[in-house]
Amino acid sequence: MRSSIALLAATAGTTLASSNNYTEWMASSWLSKSVPVSRNYAYGVLYRGIELAHNKTNNAEYLDFIESQLSGVVSDSGELIDYNLTDKISLDDLRIGTNFLAAWAATGQEKFKLGADTLRRQIDITPRNEGGGLWHRDPTYPNQMWLDGIYMSTNFYALYTAWFDADNSTAWDDIMLQFDLIEEHCLREDGLLVHGFDYSKAAVWADPETGAAPLVWNRALGWYFMSLLDILDYFPKSHPGWETNLSRFQKLAQALKQAQDESGGWYLIMNDQYPSDPRNYIESSGSAMFTYGFLKGIRNGFLEESEYSQVADKGYKLLVDRFVSKNDNGTLNWEGTVEVGSLSSNGSFEVSPDVY
């Protein structure tokens, strides 16, 4: 999957034979492929991985690739191509906003800033549940908030606010409200969080008291783990929310450490009764997200190296040994990821999709 490959690059060329450097190797593998032009969030995460490779190497090929891809989804006048809010409003659409801002900062092209402006306005017109939480998608998932949506929306929302509206305390409070609602409704006693919740409790899968979904899905939790960590890069330390989310990240890290399989990975469905089910499996994209979080958390001083380095090392080793395959031409593939996981059905384990 695109996002997982980018995450492996971020966790860790033009010279494809550089087998000890997965940052350049994985990034260059993607440059050798025909990548569709898309604003889809999965491509946004891919572009982020290439962006981090560029930041590390200053290889102009990486920036040229990002600029070319993003230029295919925003016109020279700054209008988003094939963007229509009359059909649906989805938090997934916001993920590309951080790519626009990074491209604007790197190239100075105003069209990328204007594209981000449009996505910022989308936040203001997104429907909200009675608690103030942004709907994951209108009209498909009314009143629902998913861990996925926190990553897609709040990190862009926070970066935009930090750069262009830093004194807007209402915006900072609103960003924290999204996390607060997720923690209130999705957090379990073991420190893990279920996939999402329905504030109205009308969804077929919603718990009658909390509205929570029944299962801990590893990739949804991976999005959330990364969001808690990445937002600390630009959330104001003067706001109490910075310390709150740092604490949440650290507590979730502890819970994930306990949930790690002996292999170094994490199961697709993490509820206690399912790891022994033969239909469940160690899934690569969520495992990549957790590994990213542990490595960056250690690097930034948020996690004690003595406590978490073994967890991170085991996770990374598994990613490389089990899920990276090599082609005859020296490029890399990523394997072992779930194709999709959604709360569009009954939210049960039985309808979880297969690996590909």
Side-chain angles (χ1 to χ4, degrees):
M1 181 186 177
R2 291 169 293 276
S3 58
S4 304
I5 292 181
L7 284 165
L8 181 61
T11 313
T14 24
T15 304
L16 292 175
S18 299
S19 58
N20 293 324
N21 192 327
Y22 282 95
T23 300
E24 288 95 321
W25 197 2
M26 194 64 81
S28 295
S29 293
W30 270 99
L31 265 64
S32 74
K33 303 175 187 292
S34 177
V35 181
V37 172
S38 176
R39 286 189 292 106
N40 181 277
Y41 69 87
Y43 289 90
V45 179
L46 167 63
Y47 304 155
R48 173 61 173 162
I50 305 296
E51 174 196 328
L52 292 175
H54 172 260
N55 292 348
K56 176 185 175 185
T57 65
N58 204 30
N59 184 337
E61 289 185 68
Y62 299 148
L63 182 58
D64 290 345
F65 170 81
I66 296 169
E67 181 183 344
S68 174
Q69 293 294 114
L70 294 181
S71 293
V73 299
V74 61
S75 71
D76 289 341
S77 62
E79 294 184 3
L80 299 184
I81 298 172
D82 294 328
Y83 179 79
N84 187 341
L85 290 180
T86 60
D87 296 329
K88 66 179 179 67
I89 298 178
S90 175
L91 297 188
D92 288 343
D93 292 338
L94 300 177
R95 174 60 190 86
I96 201 74
T98 55
N99 302 106
F100 286 150
L101 292 178
W104 171 73
T107 68
Q109 295 188 43
E110 191 65 15
K111 64 181 179 181
F112 296 131
K113 167 61 165 55
L114 294 174
D117 290 343
T118 298
L119 295 178
R120 174 61 185 87
R121 288 192 293 272
Q122 177 179 320
I123 295 174
D124 293 335
I125 64 172
T126 297
R128 293 172 181 254
N129 58 42
E130 291 184 9
L134 297 163
W135 287 14
H136 187 69
R137 183 178 300 165
D138 175 36
T140 316
Y141 306 119
N143 295 296
Q144 295 180 27
M145 298 182 70
W146 298 8
L147 303 184
D148 321 33
I150 294 295
Y151 175 84
M152 307 302 166
S153 62
T154 60
N155 293 76
F156 166 65
Y157 192 178
L159 181 59
Y160 189 98
T161 302
W163 283 12
F164 307 111
D165 201 15
D167 294 331
N168 188 342
S169 59
T170 300
W172 293 122
D173 291 346
D174 187 36
I175 292 166
M176 281 307 302
L177 175 63
Q178 308 309 307
F179 287 95
D180 293 344
L181 287 166
I182 284 290
E183 293 279 334
E184 177 185 353
H185 293 270
C186 297
L187 182 64
R188 306 192 329 165
E189 290 185 0
D190 62 1
L192 303 176
L193 293 92
V194 297
H195 192 166
F197 77 97
D198 179 356
Y199 197 92
S200 69
K201 303 169 187 169
V204 64
W205 44 257
D207 182 275
E209 294 185 7
T210 66
L215 299 179
V216 179
W217 181 50
N218 76 331
R219 188 156 78 210
L221 194 54
W223 293 126
Y224 189 67
F225 192 49
M226 293 196 302
S227 184
L228 286 170
L229 175 60
D230 287 348
I231 206 167
L232 299 176
D233 291 342
Y234 28 82
F235 204 88
K237 288 188 177 182
S238 59
H239 192 289
W242 194 92
E243 289 289 347
T244 298
N245 271 5
L246 172 60
S247 176
R248 287 168 174 166
F249 169 75
Q250 292 169 332
K251 290 176 181 178
L252 182 51
Q254 183 61 41
L256 289 171
K257 176 183 177 181
Q258 298 301 318
Q260 186 180 34
D261 182 67
E262 292 182 0
S263 66
W266 286 263
Y267 277 91
L268 173 69
I269 302 300
M270 299 173 65
N271 299 58
D272 293 340
Q273 66 268 41
Y274 291 117
S276 60
D277 192 303
R279 296 169 296 175
N280 206 0
Y281 51 88
I282 299 295
E283 196 276 331
S284 65
S285 65
S287 295
M289 293 174 180
F290 298 149
T291 302
Y292 167 91
F294 283 117
L295 288 169
K296 181 176 177 179
I298 292 170
R299 187 173 67 248
N300 286 6
F302 301 147
L303 299 176
E304 291 291 338
E305 185 172 1
S306 60
E307 183 176 357
Y308 289 101
S309 61
Q310 185 176 3
V311 178
D313 290 345
K314 285 180 63 178
Y316 188 81
K317 187 176 188 303
L318 176 81
L319 300 179
V320 173
D321 291 348
R322 183 183 297 188
F323 299 122
V324 174
S325 64
K326 302 176 181 65
N327 300 311
D328 292 340
N329 65 358
T331 60
L332 300 178
N333 302 313
W334 181 266
E335 300 174 347
T337 183
V338 65
E339 183 173 3
V340 67
S342 175
L343 290 174
S344 59
S345 59
N346 65 6
S348 70
F349 174 78
E350 285 67 28
V351 298
S352 296
D354 291 331
V355 68
Y356 81 98

